Amino acid sequence: EVQLVQSGAELKQPGESLKISCKGSGYKFTSYWIGWVRQMPGKGLEWMGIIYLRDSRTLYNPSFQGQVTISADKSIATAFLQWSSLRASDSAIYYCATTRDGDFGWPGWGQGTLVTVSS
Amino acid sequence: QSALTQPRSVSGSLGQSVTISCTGTSRDVGGYNFVSWYQQHPGRAPTVVIYDVSERPSGVPDRFSGSKSGNTASLTISGLQPDDEADYYCCSYVGGFGTYVFGTGTSVTVL
């Protein structure tokens, strides 16, 4: 069974950097994609981008290109989402999700990481 | 890359059926049979209920069904149960970008 476990909640100040993680288990990690999804308070789901664990090929949704960095370390079956300078508007729950290469539904989801950016 | 359009809310009585529409363009919904639907209860992560337009993952009741016509996909929930009360999001692969887009989300209320 595919399982994703995300890092814990974060409280940061504007301008700080942050890197959150998503660790996969229960499957052959290198044959899977991991995607990141933002959910702002009281709002809907937004795709940020996806990364292929085998070769770290990354595709960003246009709204998030240049705003965040998605990366992965296949040796530890983990994907990352990174900000270099946080803004209050980055406050949200961030989910990771996974699917096999060649599939287009996303059956595996992490529990979510709450990021709060406040001075 | 705009969000797919869904009704803000739908409601139905216990045991009845509701249908949620999801309208996109020929670059997403209309161009590929890669539409999926997600259920999200408050405070919980989303879970997939339909993938590839009409396929149901194991463990999802056959009360959930999906279809597509042109640029519009639909999710039908038959025999509404109390636990079906949740937010539902459609999702489509987007050609050109190689990524995905969600719908605006629909709140389902079971009366």
Side-chain angles (χ1 to χ4, degrees), chain A residues 4-31:
Chain A
L4 296 178
V5 177
Q6 298 185 231
S7 50
E10 301 276 0
L11 175 60
K12 292 290 191 179
Q13 294 191 339
E16 290 188 316
S17 63
L18 176 63
K19 191 174 188 177
I20 62 175
S21 65
C22 170
K23 182 174 177 60
S25 64
Y27 60 99
K28 193 172 183 181
F29 188 68
T30 53
S31 301

Side-chain angles (χ1 to χ4, degrees), chain A residues 63-86:
Chain A
S63 300
F64 294 93
Q65 180 84 47
Q67 308 303 309
V68 296
T69 300
I70 295 171
S71 61
D73 184 342
K74 64 182 179 183
S75 69
I76 56 172
T78 301
F80 303 95
L81 179 64
Q82 183 174 4
W83 295 260
S84 59
S85 180
L86 286 161

